[in-house]
Amino acid sequence: MKTLKNFCRDEDGATAIEYGLIAALVSVAILTILGTLGDNLQTTFTSISDKLGGASTP
């Protein structure tokens, strides 16, 4: 019975789960930001490439 009470009071597992959820949330936020940033960079480099391509033709 004492072991069961100690198990119920132990919060180490709950802390590990909380850290796991925080890590997952941070990962999702980073992936979202990088996806948006990647699209913006691709648009910018495409625009620069188009302008440079047009500049080389007389």
Side-chain angles (χ1 to χ4, degrees):
M1 195 65 162
K2 184 178 180 181
T3 305
L4 184 60
K5 286 181 183 179
N6 286 338
F7 180 75
C8 289
R9 279 190 242 142
D10 187 17
E11 294 184 4
D12 289 340
T15 303
I17 290 171
E18 289 169 357
Y19 283 133
L21 289 173
I22 290 170
L25 244 147
V26 168
S27 298
V28 168
I30 288 172
L31 289 175
T32 302
I33 290 169
L34 289 179
T36 303
L37 182 64
D39 290 342
N40 290 342
L41 282 176
Q42 183 175 2
T43 303
T44 301
F45 282 121
T46 301
S47 174
I48 292 170
S49 175
D50 291 344
K51 289 179 183 178
L52 288 176
S56 65
T57 57

